[in-house]
């Protein structure tokens, strides 16, 4: 099982919206509603920002939203702020043989 | 406040062994599955292993099967990763993370990570 596919980079100006894609297969993203998204600032541990495709943990701003269509999940960050500049990783359950697959990560730059 | 604190990392020669520990506090450790996730220098996240609340179910990524063993001691609120036959490609920052099936296979709390370097 290969890692999920994310674009290596994305960017947007403050106040704009940006969407990051995460493409898997019918065996992982397409089969299960267990897609999560993590934000990681340099030198820090990852932080959960979206789970089960669309749900936000307590304390995560509603500027972060998730969706899924077929084998591709997406994270949208609206009203970009400077502190949103970070690496973003998607993950998906992929059956007990593979448990969780991560994407390769997307570096989000706020211009 | 949930806290996860990894320890036990360091420099080890290829073929050597290390045992990582993750001390949990701030929540009922025995009620949550746990995982190990690693990040090679400058690279992305890779899930390594998961263990259910009562250790009935333990999963490993293919590249560490037969070499790594995950365990937990619910009486000590501690998660372990025994790593044997270490290879250069195991060099990474190892995170322990709280969560699993009951959390939609998401990890809602992470330790700060512990560095494992495999080199001669």
């Amino acid at each position: 099982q290969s890692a999920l596919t994310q674009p290596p980079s994305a960017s947007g100006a403050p106040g704009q919206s940006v969407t990051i894609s995460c493409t898997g297969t019918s065996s992982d993203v397409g089969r299960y509603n267990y897609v999560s998204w993590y934000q990681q600032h340099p030198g820090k541990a990852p932080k959960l920002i979206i789970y089960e495709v669309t749900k936000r943990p307590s304390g995560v701003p509603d500027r972060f939203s998730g969706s899924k269509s077929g084998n591709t999940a997406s994270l949208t960050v609206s009203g970009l702020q400077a502190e949103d500049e970070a690496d973003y990783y998607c993950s998906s359950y992929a059956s007990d043989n593979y448990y969780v697959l991560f994407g390769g990560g997307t570096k989000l730059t706020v211009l | 406040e949930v806290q996860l604190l990894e320890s036990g990392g360091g420099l080890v020669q290829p073929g050597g062994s290390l045992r990582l520990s993750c001390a949990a506090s701030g929540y009922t450790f025995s009620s949550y599955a746990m995982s190990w996730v690693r990040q090679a220098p400058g690279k992305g996240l890779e899930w390594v292993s998961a263990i259910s609340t009562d250790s009935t179910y333990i999963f490993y990524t293919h590249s560490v099967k037969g070499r790594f063993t995950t365990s937990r001691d619910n009486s000590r609120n501690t998660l372990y990763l025994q790593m044997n036959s270490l290879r250069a490609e195991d060099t990474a920052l190892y995170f322990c993370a709280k969560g699993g099936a009951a959390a939609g296979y998401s990890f809602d709390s992470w330790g700060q990570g512990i560095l494992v370097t495999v080199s001669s």
Side-chain angles (χ1 to χ4, degrees):
Chain A
Q1 199 88 344
S2 301
L4 308 178
T5 301
Q6 296 180 235
S9 63
S11 63
Q16 288 187 333
S17 295
V18 64
T19 297
I20 298 171
S21 63
C22 170
T23 301
T25 69
S26 57
S27 297
D28 39 68
V29 174
R31 176 171 291 186
Y32 306 102
N33 288 324
Y34 292 136
V35 175
S36 302
W37 290 90
Y38 301 87
Q39 177 191 63
Q40 186 180 34
H41 287 106
K44 301 293 187 181
K47 174 188 175 184
L48 178 67
I49 56 173
I50 295 288
Y51 66 102
E52 292 179 9
V53 181
T54 62
K55 299 177 181 178
R56 275 188 318 275
S58 173
V60 174
D62 59 6
R63 301 186 296 103
F64 293 91
S65 63
S67 62
K68 189 183 86 166
S69 177
N71 297 336
T72 298
S74 298
L75 171 72
T76 297
V77 187
S78 306
L80 274 172
Q81 300 181 4
E83 60 261 36
D84 298 333
E85 186 161 294
D87 293 326
Y88 291 83
Y89 294 91
C90 64
S91 74
S92 174
Y93 176 65
S95 84
D96 286 352
N97 284 331
Y98 300 97
Y99 205 76
V100 165
L101 293 175
F102 281 98
T106 298
K107 181 176 181 60
L108 175 60
T109 300
V110 180
L111 302 170
Chain B
E1 178 193 4
V2 173
Q3 289 196 334
L4 299 171
L5 184 62
E6 302 95 339
S7 60
L11 174 64
V12 62
Q13 292 188 339
S17 298
L18 273 179
R19 187 196 198 201
L20 304 184
S21 299
C22 170
S25 61
Y27 72 103
T28 305
F29 178 71
S30 59
S31 295
Y32 295 87
M34 297 292 293
S35 275
W36 290 99
V37 177
R38 67 185 178 184
Q39 187 170 33
K43 302 297 184 181
L45 301 173
E46 179 188 23
W47 172 80
V48 173
S49 178
I51 185 168
S52 62
T53 55
D54 61 359
S55 306
T56 298
Y57 302 101
I58 305 177
F59 305 93
Y60 301 96
T61 191
H62 287 194
S63 63
V64 309
K65 277 182 183 176
R67 300 188 299 122
F68 289 12
T69 301
T70 294
S71 61
R72 64 191 294 163
D73 185 339
N74 286 342
S75 68
R76 296 178 182 269
N77 293 341
T78 303
L79 172 72
Y80 302 100
L81 182 65
Q82 177 67 45
M83 302 185 294
N84 299 330
S85 303
L86 282 161
R87 306 167 180 167
E89 55 264 35
D90 296 318
T91 293
L93 190 63
Y94 284 73
F95 296 98
C96 64
K98 167 180 167 282
Y105 298 93
S106 67
F107 308 119
D108 61 10
S109 296
W110 298 63
Q112 84 290 348
I114 190 76
L115 184 62
V116 172
T117 304
V118 184
S119 175
S120 55

